[in-house]
Amino acid sequence: MGGIVPPILNKLKKVRLDRFLSNAGIGSRKEVKLFIKKGKVSVNGQLIKNPSYQIDLQVDIVCFDDKPVLLKNNYYFMFNKPSGYITAIEDKNFPTVMEFFSSLPFYRRLFPVGRLDIDTEGLLIVTDDGMFAHRVSHPKWGVEKEYYAVVKGNIKNIDYTKYEITGIKLKDYQTKPFKIKLISTDDKKSEITITVKEGKYHIVKKIMEKLGHPVMYLKRIRIGSLLLDENLSPGEYRELTEEEIKHLKQVVNL
Ligand code: URA
């Protein structure tokens, strides 16, 4: 069987099909039992509807929705999100970022880490590691998210350095401290980077609106130590390197 056998299974040779699938990240034990009964799972090309079917980890090939299930521990992708896509697993009205991952040659239950608005572009991590996703997006861990933004008007005359200490009071929410750097400005618009430590809904747009300079264009360029790879065009992704994963995990104590 391809991939690395996770520690939880590596002492076993034979294992129940439902246990194998839940350990491979397909779903909870209850969910995978339903998937098996619905006929989504085959072993060596044969449809298996019995959750207690014993599979041999060394030789059997298990497929979910016709794609082989690999036993690598977790996957981490860097995705350059294009505008026009919703950061969700499914949506009734709009295409989702997950559509870009449907051509992967194997099945994993992947999901996006945090959320970018439909019109925001740039760095999005997509993974199947729930704890990692939770910590990277939770304000408690304070992982920095840096955005490149084009905003309306000339921001030269605002003293934005004070917000590095105080944050700003929005209508219903006090933000954590954030940092703005001015790249260029003219009378009509300014180019900035803004670094926040939280993933609240529309946080950058709300901050800039409050400062009187609404966002015209927004792109995330960094999450913690991870910079958006300039070789990735919008809509493209690549796996994170071991080094990139290690640095991100260090920050969130994993
Ligand atoms: N802040 C926003 O306003 N939008 C995003 O997509 C991300 C951060």
Side-chain angles (χ1 to χ4, degrees):
M1 164 131 294
I4 301 159
V5 179
I8 196 156
L9 294 181
N10 69 4
K11 291 210 171 61
L12 304 169
K13 192 163 180 289
K14 290 221 166 193
V15 66
R16 280 174 62 110
L17 182 57
D18 56 354
R19 182 168 179 210
F20 168 83
L21 289 167
S22 68
N23 278 301
I26 303 294
S28 66
R29 268 306 254 285
K30 202 169 151 197
E31 286 168 326
V32 300
K33 276 186 181 148
L34 275 175
F35 293 150
I36 295 168
K37 288 192 173 142
K38 277 188 185 161
K40 284 172 153 298
V41 180
S42 67
V43 179
N44 304 324
Q46 195 190 341
L47 199 68
I48 301 291
K49 290 198 167 181
N50 173 10
S52 63
Y53 184 88
Q54 294 284 312
I55 61 154
D56 184 330
L57 291 171
Q58 311 304 322
V59 294
D60 287 338
I61 306 283
V62 179
C63 287
F64 182 82
D65 276 348
D66 298 326
K67 290 182 179 177
V69 176
L70 301 186
L71 275 176
K72 185 170 163 177
N73 277 345
N74 284 115
Y75 284 86
Y76 305 86
F77 295 97
M78 170 191 294
F79 177 55
N80 187 356
K81 178 191 173 297
S83 177
Y85 289 82
I86 292 252
T87 310
I89 293 173
E90 317 184 304
D91 192 86
K92 283 200 187 103
N93 302 313
F94 296 99
T96 77
V97 293
M98 296 316 296
E99 292 182 12
F100 290 88
F101 292 83
S102 59
S103 58
L104 279 177
F106 55 86
Y107 183 84
R108 295 296 288 195
R109 199 155 80 149
L110 295 168
F111 45 84
V113 177
R115 189 161 50 174
L116 292 177
D117 296 337
I118 188 163
D119 57 348
T120 301
E121 298 181 1
L123 177 56
L124 188 68
I125 299 173
V126 171
T127 184
D128 57 355
D129 182 342
M131 180 62 85
F132 172 86
H134 176 71
R135 292 200 182 178
V136 168
S137 39
H138 198 283
K140 176 183 160 195
W141 295 94
V143 178
E144 288 189 343
K145 280 104 188 169
E146 185 173 350
Y147 297 83
Y148 164 83
V150 181
V151 300
K152 271 197 185 150
N154 183 331
I155 74 159
K156 236 188 215 156
N157 299 325
I158 301 182
D159 171 20
Y160 37 82
T161 53
K162 71 175 181 203
Y163 303 115
E164 292 175 23
I165 297 155
T166 61
I168 197 167
K169 178 97 185 72
L170 301 174
K171 233 186 252 163
D172 49 355
Y173 177 68
Q174 168 66 50
T175 75
K176 287 178 176 289
F178 60 89
K179 196 182 220 161
I180 292 180
K181 277 194 208 152
L182 181 59
I183 300 171
S184 76
T185 186
D186 59 36
D187 285 344
K188 291 209 176 85
K189 60 180 183 346
S190 305
E191 275 183 296
I192 60 168
T193 61
I194 172 165
T195 304
V196 296
K197 290 189 176 176
E198 55 210 315
K200 284 256 171 199
Y201 189 53
H202 290 334
I203 186 82
V204 172
K205 289 179 185 164
K206 284 182 181 167
I207 290 172
M208 295 314 298
E209 184 85 39
K210 174 89 187 206
L211 293 176
H213 296 277
V215 168
M216 298 158 68
Y217 172 80
L218 192 60
K219 176 179 181 177
R220 184 154 64 191
I221 54 175
R222 181 171 66 86
I223 298 174
S225 52
L226 187 68
L227 287 171
L228 177 62
D229 187 331
E230 285 176 2
N231 294 317
L232 291 178
S233 302
E236 288 184 342
Y237 59 84
R238 68 157 171 82
E239 268 198 79
L240 295 190
T241 64
E242 291 297 324
E243 200 65 5
E244 286 169 337
I245 298 167
K246 194 172 105 194
H247 281 136
L248 279 173
K249 284 191 171 177
Q250 260 165 9
V251 178
V252 293
N253 222 1
L254 285 174

